[in-house]
Amino acid sequence: MSLFDWFADRRKGQYVGKVNQEPDEGDGLWSKCPECGQVVYRKDLLSNASVCSNCGYHHRIDSTERIAVLVDPNSFVAMDQELQPMDPLGFKDRRAYADRLRETQASTGLRDGVITGLCEVEGIPMALAVMDFRFMGGSMGSVVGEKITRLVEAATAKKLPLLIVCASGGARMQEGMLSLMQMAKISGALERHREAGVLYMPLLTHPTTGGVTASFAMLGDLILAEPKALIGFAGRRVIEQTLREKLPDNFQTAEYLQDHGFVDSIVPRTQLRSTLASLLRLHGCESRVASS
């Protein structure tokens, strides 16, 4: 009997009672905040960058919404859209990795877990990578690593500042060692970017964990984060079992990491574009209008 079948047999004997749960989004016109419970008109929520106006809770957004919030309208030009993931190991658990890829691509409209390209923020040119948690938990496979590396190299060649929006569960287990190699590849490209004297900023969103945290998410000149984002390498339970002590309630939050020097600034999503523009200007980046 396989391990999966063993767990399935154990679950069969467990009674699961009926749970009455109020729907969060009744007809798609309204949205309920999971933090404070306030129900808001969905259009109003989207116009506020998917941030609750009552408590400031940051709803999770996809890569398309993220780009719209961050950059000037119609300024984003995507790169390397033709790259597609493969199944080099022929990996299979309950289902084949190739089947999971096809299903996720169909449901998200993405080829893999990151969108990369060049854009402008208040007229200032910038290279941008945005990870999407919808695609297999934002896991970092070979295509994610290759696209980010190519973007870093393009930013270095063009002397452009770089922002990587991190949202990931870590390395993609279905690609094994090939996934882990992306950590070193991206880190090497970022070192050459640093040697060229060009600004790099990661933005840590909820969640940023595993191999992404262990590599490019923590290599920025300035490390930004969204409020209350989960940021860490190993899970809380693993750490508590290893240390044999109870961790603080706010452990692995953006606020905890800022207090302990791992995050430079926590920036609310509604202020992110203006904050980015100010940081870029502070580091000598000029808008195309000003330079012309």
Side-chain angles (χ1 to χ4, degrees):
M1 177 183 292
S2 70
L3 184 62
F4 289 110
D5 293 333
W6 183 80
F7 275 113
D9 288 342
R10 283 180 60 85
R11 290 194 183 101
K12 285 180 183 178
Q14 296 177 357
Y15 171 75
V16 180
K18 183 178 180 181
V19 178
N20 294 320
Q21 187 175 27
E22 183 181 350
D24 290 342
E25 298 178 9
D27 55 4
L29 296 176
W30 301 90
S31 180
K32 182 179 179 181
C33 177
E35 185 77 14
C36 67
Q38 176 169 286
V39 178
V40 297
Y41 193 38
R42 188 157 182 80
K43 281 188 176 180
D44 292 338
L45 180 65
L46 293 175
S47 66
N48 197 44
S50 293
V51 177
C52 178
S53 57
N54 184 54
C55 68
Y57 176 81
H58 284 52
H59 292 255
R60 185 178 293 167
I61 59 177
D62 61 34
S63 51
T64 303
E65 293 175 280
R66 177 76 62 183
I67 291 170
V69 168
L70 281 175
V71 311
D72 298 345
N74 304 316
S75 70
F76 184 79
V77 180
M79 295 172 52
D80 301 310
Q81 299 182 79
E82 74 284 357
L83 295 183
Q84 291 221 64
M86 305 293 288
D87 184 14
L89 306 180
F91 190 94
K92 184 176 181 180
D93 43 61
R94 296 287 282 190
R95 295 173 53 214
Y97 176 43
D99 293 338
R100 292 184 187 275
L101 284 174
R102 283 192 292 269
E103 181 182 297
T104 308
Q105 288 172 337
S107 63
T108 62
L110 302 172
R111 293 198 174 185
D112 212 304
V114 69
I115 295 178
T116 59
L118 306 180
C119 63
E120 294 183 3
V121 178
E122 294 190 4
I124 303 172
M126 184 181 75
L128 175 66
V130 180
M131 304 187 76
D132 197 316
F133 196 79
R134 296 177 302 158
F135 199 101
M136 299 186 71
S139 54
M140 178 177 58
S142 300
V143 169
V144 171
E146 181 66 17
K147 290 184 71 171
I148 293 178
T149 301
R150 290 188 186 187
L151 179 73
V152 176
E153 291 174 345
T156 304
K158 297 175 183 291
K159 299 288 186 180
L160 291 177
L162 169 67
L163 177 73
I164 301 179
V165 181
C166 305
S168 177
R172 188 172 298 174
M173 60 171 285
Q174 291 88 346
E175 295 187 20
M177 182 60 71
L178 297 174
S179 176
L180 297 176
M181 288 168 61
Q182 308 310 312
M183 299 167 59
K185 184 167 72 174
I186 297 171
S187 298
L190 286 172
E191 173 60 18
R192 293 188 290 274
H193 190 74
R194 185 195 66 80
E195 290 173 351
V198 193
L199 178 67
Y200 163 53
M201 295 179 289
L203 172 63
L204 314 184
T205 69
H206 180 82
T208 299
T209 59
V212 170
T213 305
S215 56
F216 60 87
M218 289 294 174
L219 294 177
D221 301 301
L222 290 170
I223 300 178
L224 310 177
E226 285 193 335
K228 297 184 179 179
L230 171 66
I231 304 165
F233 177 63
R236 168 188 284 268
R237 184 169 57 185
V238 173
I239 298 173
E240 287 183 336
Q241 290 175 348
T242 302
L243 299 179
R244 297 183 180 179
E245 61 181 63
K246 182 72 174 174
L247 297 171
D249 291 337
N250 66 340
F251 181 70
Q252 291 185 326
T253 63
E255 289 74 15
Y256 184 92
L257 267 66
Q258 185 183 42
D259 291 342
H260 291 79
F262 287 91
V263 167
D264 293 303
S265 181
I266 297 174
V267 185
R269 192 180 297 158
T270 52
Q271 303 172 19
L272 195 51
R273 187 187 300 180
S274 60
T275 300
L276 278 176
S278 298
L279 291 172
L280 292 173
R281 293 190 189 98
L282 183 65
H283 285 80
C285 304
E286 296 183 354
S287 67
R288 295 190 188 276
V289 177
S291 59
S292 60

